[in-house]
Amino acid sequence: MTQEEVQNGCAAAKQVTFSAVKPQLFVEAPKANDAVLFYKAAFGAEEVSRTVHPKRKAEQESPLVLVAELKLGSSVILVSDLVDDSSAPVKTVGTGFVMCLETEDVKAAVEKAVTAGAVSEGELAEGEGEGLAAKLKDPYGFVWTVCSPIKKSADAVEA
Amino acid sequence: MTQEEVQNGCAAAKQVTFSAVKPQLFVEAPKANDAVLFYKAAFGAEEVSRTVHPKRKAEQESPLVLVAELKLGSSVILVSDLVDDSSAPVKTVGTGFVMCLETEDVKAAVEKAVTAGAVSEGELAEGEGEGLAAKLKDPYGFVWTVCSPIKKSADAVEA
């Protein structure tokens, strides 16, 4: 056992720290580039980096996107082309997931996204404990909720 | 038109800023509490806030989770019980998505998560342009990749 393990009393208790969680969205190849352009137009995302697929075919007009990092507020999302040989994610994931976009101006954000091609699903709703919220579906099948920052309630934290 | 709109030349160009993107994972009710405990044990997540479902039934032992905020590194994820009357997300989302967890110690992170109940899928792989990476499936059906921070390549940014 290392000194660290001895101090912890157990190897399994080793301290692991994560710098960040980045949701990675896979879109049908070769639409990742289009998706990046869409997220820029709809949500004002900034492209931080892009790594292209090394196995590019000579006849391809543009290389496939292995991973593009997009900055959205203080968060980063990843967009990738789903290719046959990629370590493909499952098509159905858990019970469901949405990407929550927090903003002080929900209405303006929805208008901008819809102008860029997102489809608004349902009316703006005053979510319980969540402030104003709206649901959008993007052209790549992902669901986004645009909402006011979550209000912390004093009695909300437990377990 | 407001002064701001005149300055922009167009109402649609109104500046919209997002504070953050938070992936929201829906789990089959009433398992959200279990999922929160799992993410604490597996990834060291810290619960920041919890809002419980207001329509709790008297006979329920514990209230359903409307939304629990978990801090993971510099990021926040949301975990919610999927209930009949929730603004339910779609079951199948886009082509697929995974949650990328960045850490300097991929091996230790995977060991800790597996000890907590995650299932490792495949071997540790040296991802192209992504450093060391491993794939995990959690007990709630979500797929996580644990990987070294993405290396920026000088020629990677385009479009």
Side-chain angles (χ1 to χ4, degrees), chain A residues 1-11 13-16, chain B residues 105:
Chain A
M1 289 176 95
T2 65
Q3 182 65 24
E4 186 184 43
E5 285 165 352
V6 171
Q7 283 173 340
N8 285 335
C10 164
K14 184 176 178 184
Q15 189 67 30
V16 175
Chain B
D105 194 343

Side-chain angles (χ1 to χ4, degrees), chain A residues 23-27 38-39 43 72 77 93 95-102 113 118-122 133-147, chain B residues 21-26 78 82 86-97:
Chain A
Q24 184 172 17
L25 309 179
F26 285 86
V27 303
F38 171 79
Y39 295 133
F43 304 133
L72 246 170
I77 66 166
V93 289
T95 314
F97 102 107
V98 300
M99 306 278 286
C100 290
L101 281 166
E102 282 190 357
V119 176
S120 175
E121 301 200 322
K135 200 164 149 188
L136 298 170
K137 194 165 191 175
D138 75 27
Y140 308 95
F142 297 103
V143 179
W144 301 72
T145 49
V146 181
C147 54
Chain B
V21 186
K22 298 176 181 176
Q24 184 171 17
L25 308 180
F26 285 85
L78 308 175
L82 180 67
S86 70
S87 53
V90 284
K91 281 228 174 187
T92 52
V93 290
T95 314
F97 102 107

Side-chain angles (χ1 to χ4, degrees), chain B residues 34 56 58 94 102 143 147 156:
Chain B
D34 292 345
R56 102 153 90 173
E102 284 189 357
V143 179
C147 54

Side-chain angles (χ1 to χ4, degrees), chain B residues 5-19:
Chain B
E5 285 164 351
V6 171
Q7 284 173 340
N8 285 336
C10 163
K14 184 174 177 184
Q15 189 68 31
V16 175
T17 54
F18 296 101
S19 46

Side-chain angles (χ1 to χ4, degrees), chain B residues 13-126:
Chain B
K14 184 174 177 184
Q15 189 68 31
V16 175
T17 54
F18 296 101
S19 46
V21 186
K22 298 176 181 176
Q24 184 171 17
L25 308 180
F26 285 85
V27 303
E28 212 175 314
K31 292 183 184 166
N33 187 58
D34 292 345
V36 168
L37 295 175
F38 172 78
Y39 296 132
K40 287 180 182 177
F43 304 132
E46 288 170 47
E47 186 165 340
V48 178
S49 75
R50 178 182 297 209
T51 307
V52 296
H53 205 278
K55 290 172 192 163
R56 102 153 90 173
K57 292 174 185 164
E59 68 268 29
Q60 275 178 239
E61 283 194 22
S62 57
L64 295 178
V65 176
L66 194 64
V67 59
E69 275 192 301
L70 302 183
K71 197 164 186 303
L72 246 170
S74 61
S75 307
V76 171
I77 67 168
L78 308 175
V79 179
S80 298
D81 271 316
L82 180 67
V83 290
D84 292 344
D85 62 346
S86 70
S87 53
V90 284
K91 281 228 174 187
T92 52
V93 290
T95 314
F97 102 107
V98 301
M99 306 277 286
C100 290
L101 282 167
E102 284 189 357
T103 181
E104 294 293 342
D105 194 343
V106 172
K107 200 159 167 283
V110 169
E111 278 171 12
K112 187 178 172 188
V114 168
T115 301
V119 176
S120 175
E121 301 200 322
E123 296 293 305
L124 274 179
E126 193 75 38

Side-chain angles (χ1 to χ4, degrees), chain A residues 19 22 24 49-51 67-69 76-78, chain B residues 100 102 129-131 147-153:
Chain A
S19 45
K22 298 176 181 176
Q24 184 172 17
S49 75
R50 178 183 296 209
T51 307
V67 59
E69 273 192 300
V76 172
I77 66 166
L78 309 175
Chain B
C100 290
E102 284 189 357
E130 297 177 83
C147 54
S148 322
I150 292 176
K151 290 178 193 72
K152 310 277 183 293
S153 47

